[in-house]
Structures are given as C-alpha cells and as structure tokens.
Amino acid sequence: PDEQAHRQAVARHAGLTKPAGSLGRLEEIGVWVSARQGTCPPRPFDRPRVVVFAGDHGIATNGVSAYPSEVTAQMVDNILAGGAAVNALAANAGAGVRVVDMAVDGETNRTVAAYKIRRSSGSLDVEDALTEQQALDAVTAGRALADEEVDSGADLLIAGDMGIGNTTPAATLIAALTESEPVAVVGRGTGIDDSAWMRKTAAIRDALRRARKVVHDPVALLRTAAGADLAAMSGFLAQAAVRRTPVILDGVVVGAAAMVAEELVPGAARWWMAGHRSVEPGAALVLEHLDLRPVLDLEMRLGEGSGAVAALPVVNAAIRVLGEMATFAEAGIEGP
Amino acid sequence: PDEQAHRQAVARHAGLTKPAGSLGRLEEIGVWVSARQGTCPPRPFDRPRVVVFAGDHGIATNGVSAYPSEVTAQMVDNILAGGAAVNALAANAGAGVRVVDMAVDGETNRTVAAYKIRRSSGSLDVEDALTEQQALDAVTAGRALADEEVDSGADLLIAGDMGIGNTTPAATLIAALTESEPVAVVGRGTGIDDSAWMRKTAAIRDALRRARKVVHDPVALLRTAAGADLAAMSGFLAQAAVRRTPVILDGVVVGAAAMVAEELVPGAARWWMAGHRSVEPGAALVLEHLDLRPVLDLEMRLGEGSGAVAALPVVNAAIRVLGEMATFAEAGIEGP
C-alpha cells in the first residue's frame, strides 16, 4: 500500500463537506482503497472479478455435509448458467464471475477444468488431501489465475468457494494456524444436524493431529489438510497481493485459504479487506488472526464469495464519497 | 404488509439453490420487501427517493454544535449542487435526492422553500419549537411530500436531515418517548467538545421538563421539542406507511421523527427498515423502541439520510437474490 496516497486520502476526507469522521468506516474504507490504488481520490473499480474455486473433498463421504458431493458439479453448472447466489450478488455489484474446477469429483467443461488438479481431494481425516506436487501445482494454478485476471484488467479480486465438505478442511486449517480446538472452529456448514456435527468435529480432530506437525510449512499444510480448491485460493490471494491488487475476502473457507496465503507471502493480508463476518465460528478466528474488521455482518454462511461481493457496493460507496464530495472550500462552507 | 407475499417469499427462499437460511439477513430483507410490495419475487426498486428535510434550530445559538447555523443553508446549496455525502451515496445506489427547506434560517430558492414553515425553529430549552398550527402544518407538509413522491412513482422512500443543532431536539424526543435521562441520549452530534456536550445535555434536560408533560400527544410533542424539519419528517414517514411504501430509516434524527410518526399512525413502523446503526446513543434507543435491526453498522453519524442510502445497495442485493436465483428444481440440483 502507498503511504502517500493514504495520507492524501485522510487529508481529503478531513476537508469534505461533513463533520470530521462522521462517515465512520466508510471513510476508512475509502482511505484503504486509495492506499491500495496508490492514488487519491480512489478510482471506482473498473473490472471487479469473482473467481469461484470449486472442488470436492473425500471427507464428504463421511456425512459431514447436508448435501451429497454430486451437488458440487451441479452448482458449477448453476454458476455458469447464472443461477447461483454469487451471480445475482455480482450482477448487483457490477462484478464479473468466473468459476474454475480445481478438484470436482465429476466432469466439467474444458474451460472450467483448465487448471483441474484431480477428481476430489483426499479424505483429510485418514490421508493427505493432496500430494506434495499437487499442492504446489494448485498454488501455482491459483497464482496463474490471479495473474490472468489482473492481466485482463481486473482491479479488484474476490475469491469464492464451492464444494461440498469444504468447511471441514477450512476449519482444520484455521484450528492449526490459530492453535484452536476442533470445537472452537467447527460450524454447521450447509446446515448439518448434531450427528453430522459430531462426525465433522471428529474428522477435524483426526486431520489436526497430522496438520499440527506441519503448521510451519504452508505448502505441507495445504497438502495435509486443505485440498486443491483451498490451495489454489491461497495462491490466488497471495498473488493478488504480489500484483498489488486489492481483495475483498469472503467467509470461513476463503478465510482459511487467506491465512495460509499470509504464511506463503507474509504481508499479503495488507491487500485484503474483510467483506463480512460469517456466522461460521472459524470465520471470527480468521478475522482476529488477520486483524481485519468486516464491512458487513449479515449472518451469512453461503460461500461462493457471496459475503465479499455483497460488500462490494458499500466499498464502491466509500470510493464515490471520497471522489465525488465537495470540499468545504469548493462549496464555500464554513468549517468547524 | 402482505402476509401471502411474505409466505411466498419465505417458501421461494427455501427452494433457491443454496443451503436454507445461508444468506442470513439478506434473506429476511428480501422477504421484507416482498411483503411490502405485495408480490413475490420482489421487484427491483424503480424510483428510490431521498428527501432531505433542512431546518435550523434556535438552540444552535447555545453552542450545542461544532458548526454555526449558517452552515445549514450552505449545505442545502451543496446538496442542490450534488456535492454532499448524500449525493455521492445516492448516485452509488441509484436513488434520487430532493432537499426541502422546512425552517432554514436564511433564504433558499422557491422550489426548495415551497413548504417552508418559518425561519429557524424555537430554542427548545426555553420556548416551544413551534406553534400548534406550525406543528400541524409541518406534519401536513411532510405528508404532502410523501404523497408527491409516491404519486411521481417513488417506490422506496428515505428521509434525511440537515440542520445545525438538530440532534438536540432529536435526543429530547427520544428521551421523552423512551423515558430516558438526557445523558442516555445525548451524543457528540457533529463532533462537539466536552463543554458543548454539557450545554447540549442541559438544553435537553430543560426541554424534557416540558416535553414529558405532552408525551402522549404527538403533535404537542413536536410543537414543544421538535422543530419544523423533524415534524415534517414525522408526517412524511407516517404517510409513507399510509401509502404502503417501504422506507429505509437513517440515524438519530430521522429515528426520533420516526418514533413520533409511530405515535401519529400506530403500526407505521411495519413499513420501515433500519438502514444502519448510528453511533449516536439515541439511535440505539430508537432501534430498540421500534424493534428494528439495522442493515449496516459502520459507525456513521452524518445524517442527510446517508446511512439509509448506504444500505440501499444491500437491500437491492437482497431483492436480486430472491428474484434472480435459480431454484433447485430449475437447476436440476439435489436438495438437502
């Protein structure tokens, strides 16, 4: 981030026709964007992009989700057809949506599967989710996707997740990196009952035994307890920072990938803002760990990038305020 | 609100391609709009309108604000010129902005002053803010403004406030109607220092002595402790409900007017949602009293309708989700 643009934006806000600080967090968000763009006033986003990382997880066969794994591929088609929540929210926010198959347990079309690593990631309770090479390849794919988007003009990136069972590896990563117990990170995901909750908690416990041994090696951690979708998201979020492109984070799954991305590229988190506070317990730990305050708190828990893209119009509002409001001098108004 | 549309919207949400309830408050907001529009799915708002009620207050000469009263008229011009926060936020949300002079202590143009009641309302610490007739006329003007807007096609209304000193009458109304002490409702307004805070608290205390005697008579309460701007806002918000037009409420000043409007037309609050939680202490009391949960919580305290219009894109997102998402059946996806 650009310190000079940051200072200019703070100074500009102080001169706009409103009591100092009266727009609260909208002011902070505008300043944040200014510093990431390196310019004041900030520019409205020209090409915000959501990339949804789809992948299945072997653990889903343990009954940790309210849905069967088949739904992942069906939802990929639904996103392609424009019928998913992320499509409606992105249309509302003026953002484009792309979905990529990193490890769907089924066939998707060639474009969507261009970076596919494997069919379903391993069942992390009993085996590594990925091989070492697959973990590296997935991170590289995520980086390549960020590069593709930025090279195509994207000036804001959002990662989304789609995959039955994906909150189980997410919770495991969060527990490992925050040194939390399984019960502190496990959530209801798609809306599971008590017995599924117990199976999910046990799976996280078993995966954590192995994950904790490699917690200081981010690629090994992704190999052990993530999956190709989460590993690719980590690469994507890390590379967004390398490319100096701001990111709005979504909920628990993206948050887990973000925590690993911060291990891959320390300081990357400075390029990320939190779109919302998910009701998933692990999401709160991510926000605390990365020291991020969310824009929205709407009790969402969908994934797909939905909470991030729901926040985008508020971020746009913050940009417009800083760019379009008159100063006291311009309006001929007496300051305080 | 339409119970059948409400039920249809709840049922529709349950069939959309996402885990039940996973969009949290976005789902509730979409259902809320459906019930107010009497149709499911809800229609995107065609003509959302912000009406900013400008007025000065005699109490401002007591030093209860960080700004002099001259700023009110200057800010009216700023809003007309498109340079205020509400203009930038409304442009971002696709809403139109109108400003009306109810009691500005200065000249404004004929259109803006069409409903003007007087120059500045009385200093509520030592005198009634309005005469009985002025209070009635202001409420009638607010009702007429709501009618004008609805008759011109407005399908969502937002009231905004602009007036140096206006959080003092707002705090007084809130204290009277919630039986609170002055210290529980007084806030920093435009950003006052401790001595101004003490003067403001004393003014609220003095005004409350008279306001409490008429707390069961809403027009007498407006006469005693409101002002032409707040009285007109009360009429506007009450009439929006009469015209079955949904409203997004802003912060402490609009909230105070809304509490009186609910006294004028009991049940009117069912047509209002809360746009945000202002940092003004009185605003929290309004939310509790009217049993409203805010959409945003961004530490804003500007007025002008800014917090309501900042929330509008999120409300629009909720409408689009309910209107545009595919159902499980349409997408050929297995439900839970």
Side-chain angles (χ1 to χ4, degrees):
Chain A
D2 184 319
E3 281 305 315
Q4 191 183 348
H6 180 100
R7 283 193 302 272
Q8 286 173 342
V10 169
R12 181 170 169 82
H13 251 307
L16 297 177
T17 48
K18 57 179 173 49
S22 61
L23 284 174
R25 302 227 26 238
L26 275 189
E27 299 192 14
E28 296 172 15
I29 294 166
V31 169
W32 188 93
V33 174
S34 250
R36 271 73 200 162
Q37 293 182 342
T39 186
C40 175
R43 292 182 303 272
F45 294 120
D46 192 44
R47 189 173 157 83
R49 292 281 288 171
V50 185
V51 179
V52 181
F53 294 81
D56 278 302
H57 295 269
I59 190 66
T61 60
N62 279 33
V64 297
S65 174
Y67 292 82
S69 289
E70 288 72 21
V71 168
T72 304
Q74 293 166 348
M75 281 300 299
V76 168
D77 288 340
N78 193 29
I79 293 170
L80 288 171
V86 67
N87 300 106
L89 293 167
N92 183 63
V97 177
R98 175 180 185 176
V99 57
V100 293
D101 170 3
M102 299 310 303
V104 175
D105 191 13
E107 292 292 320
T108 56
N109 79 49
R110 189 178 301 186
T111 309
V112 171
Y115 290 98
K116 187 164 186 165
I117 301 295
R118 54 186 275 176
R119 283 178 70 128
S120 189
S121 297
S123 194
L124 78 174
D125 55 333
V126 294
E127 61 185 342
D128 280 358
L130 301 167
T131 67
E132 177 84 8
Q133 190 60 48
Q134 286 168 345
L136 288 167
D137 288 349
V139 170
T140 302
R143 287 184 180 267
L145 282 159
D147 281 335
E148 273 184 25
E149 291 297 332
V150 173
D151 291 341
S152 302
D155 51 1
L156 176 83
L157 292 176
I158 290 172
D161 67 282
M162 166 48 59
I164 301 305
N166 69 9
T167 59
T168 301
T172 305
L173 295 174
I174 293 166
L177 288 167
T178 63
E179 299 180 22
S180 304
E181 292 304 312
V183 292
V185 293
V186 65
R188 295 279 166 179
T190 47
I192 54 175
D193 61 20
D194 286 352
S195 58
W197 188 88
M198 283 188 284
R199 290 190 295 272
K200 185 173 177 178
T201 307
I204 295 167
R205 177 199 62 206
D206 293 345
L208 258 181
R209 286 206 187 99
R210 295 169 11 260
R212 286 204 163 117
K213 292 175 188 160
V214 294
V215 71
H216 299 296
D217 177 345
V219 174
L221 183 60
L222 291 170
R223 180 198 76 214
T224 306
D229 45 355
L230 282 116
M233 270 185 259
S234 292
F236 180 84
L237 296 168
Q239 189 66 12
V242 170
R243 297 298 300 270
R244 306 179 68 79
T245 303
V247 169
I248 307 179
L249 295 181
D250 189 34
V252 70
V253 180
V254 174
M259 284 179 58
V260 183
E262 173 69 14
E263 302 293 313
L264 288 169
V265 177
R270 294 187 305 157
W271 292 88
W272 310 332
M273 77 166 74
H276 78 131
R277 179 182 298 278
S278 157
V279 292
E280 278 283 320
L285 292 169
V286 171
L287 294 173
E288 192 183 346
H289 187 85
L290 295 177
D291 195 21
L292 297 173
R293 294 180 68 195
V295 178
L296 299 179
D297 187 358
L298 295 174
E299 300 173 7
M300 295 168 68
R301 55 177 172 80
L302 176 60
E304 298 178 11
S306 58
V309 73
L312 177 53
V314 178
V315 178
N316 287 337
I319 292 170
R320 294 189 75 147
V321 159
L322 194 46
E324 298 177 13
M325 275 184 73
T327 62
F328 283 108
E330 286 164 359
I333 296 177
E334 302 168 46
Chain B
D2 185 318
E3 281 305 314
Q4 190 183 348
H6 179 100
R7 283 193 302 271
Q8 285 172 343
V10 169
R12 182 170 168 80
H13 251 307
L16 297 178
T17 48
K18 57 178 172 51
S22 61
L23 284 174
R25 301 227 26 239
L26 274 190
E27 299 192 14
E28 297 172 14
I29 293 166
V31 170
W32 188 93
V33 174
S34 250
R36 270 72 200 164
Q37 293 182 342
T39 186
C40 175
R43 293 183 302 271
F45 294 121
D46 192 44
R47 190 174 157 83
R49 292 281 289 172
V50 185
V51 179
V52 181
F53 294 81
D56 278 301
H57 295 267
I59 190 66
T61 59
N62 279 32
V64 296
S65 173
Y67 292 81
S69 289
E70 287 72 22
V71 168
T72 304
Q74 292 166 348
M75 281 300 300
V76 168
D77 288 340
N78 193 29
I79 294 170
L80 288 171
V86 67
N87 301 107
L89 293 167
N92 183 62
V97 177
R98 175 180 185 178
V99 56
V100 294
D101 169 4
M102 299 309 303
V104 175
D105 191 15
E107 293 292 320
T108 57
N109 78 49
R110 189 177 301 186
T111 308
V112 172
Y115 289 99
K116 188 164 186 165
I117 300 295
R118 54 187 275 177
R119 283 179 70 128
S120 189
S121 297
S123 194
L124 78 175
D125 57 332
V126 293
E127 61 184 342
D128 280 358
L130 301 168
T131 67
E132 177 84 9
Q133 189 60 46
Q134 286 168 346
L136 288 167
D137 288 349
V139 170
T140 302
R143 287 184 180 266
L145 282 159
D147 281 335
E148 272 183 25
E149 291 297 332
V150 174
D151 290 341
S152 302
D155 51 2
L156 176 83
L157 292 176
I158 290 172
D161 67 282
M162 166 46 60
I164 302 305
N166 68 9
T167 58
T168 301
T172 305
L173 295 174
I174 293 166
L177 288 167
T178 63
E179 300 180 21
S180 304
E181 291 303 312
V183 291
V185 294
V186 66
R188 295 278 166 179
T190 47
I192 54 176
D193 61 18
D194 287 352
S195 58
W197 188 89
M198 283 188 282
R199 290 190 295 272
K200 185 174 177 177
T201 307
I204 294 167
R205 177 199 63 206
D206 293 346
L208 258 182
R209 287 207 185 97
R210 293 168 13 257
R212 287 202 163 117
K213 292 176 188 159
V214 294
V215 72
H216 298 298
D217 177 345
V219 173
L221 183 61
L222 292 169
R223 180 199 77 212
T224 306
D229 45 356
L230 282 117
M233 270 186 259
S234 292
F236 180 84
L237 296 168
Q239 189 67 11
V242 170
R243 296 299 300 271
R244 306 179 69 80
T245 303
V247 168
I248 307 178
L249 296 180
D250 189 33
V252 70
V253 180
V254 174
M259 283 179 59
V260 183
E262 173 68 14
E263 302 292 313
L264 287 169
V265 176
R270 294 187 304 156
W271 292 88
W272 310 332
M273 77 165 75
H276 79 131
R277 179 181 299 277
S278 157
V279 291
E280 278 283 320
L285 292 169
V286 171
L287 294 173
E288 192 183 347
H289 187 84
L290 295 177
D291 195 22
L292 297 172
R293 294 179 68 195
V295 178
L296 299 178
D297 187 357
L298 295 174
E299 301 174 6
M300 295 169 69
R301 55 177 172 80
L302 176 61
E304 298 177 12
S306 58
V309 73
L312 177 53
V314 178
V315 178
N316 288 337
I319 292 171
R320 293 188 75 148
V321 159
L322 194 46
E324 297 176 14
M325 276 184 71
T327 62
F328 283 107
E330 286 163 358
I333 296 177
E334 302 168 46

